[in-house]
Amino acid sequence: MTDWQNLTEHDAIEAAVAEYGKDRVASVAYCALKAYDGRDSAENRVWFRLFLKPQSASASRKCL
């Protein structure tokens, strides 16, 4: 996957979809779970915050 630190929210969602499939919410959730290694990390917080944003999935659809 692309380096998450350099992605906009839209690009992060698109990268997650490219990695895990068409369901944007599930794809972002998978990224958050993959980034979690039992400790709090910046990457996990980014993905988890993105997952919690209710407008993320609908806003991303408008970008397509």
Side-chain angles (χ1 to χ4, degrees):
M1 182 177 285
T2 309
D3 185 17
W4 62 271
Q5 295 168 321
N6 299 323
L7 298 175
T8 65
E9 285 186 5
H10 173 75
D11 290 340
I13 293 168
E14 292 304 313
V17 167
E19 183 87 8
Y20 293 106
K22 293 180 181 180
D23 186 322
R24 288 168 169 75
V25 175
S27 295
V28 170
Y30 287 133
C31 288
L33 290 171
K34 183 178 176 184
Y36 183 71
D37 62 359
R39 300 177 306 232
D40 188 29
S41 70
E43 181 179 7
N44 177 255
R45 285 191 306 270
V46 166
W47 287 111
F48 189 67
R49 232 177 289 142
L50 189 57
F51 170 73
L52 291 177
K53 286 184 129 180
Q55 72 278 8
S56 295
S58 62
S60 180
R61 286 185 195 111
K62 293 177 187 174
C63 296
L64 297 178

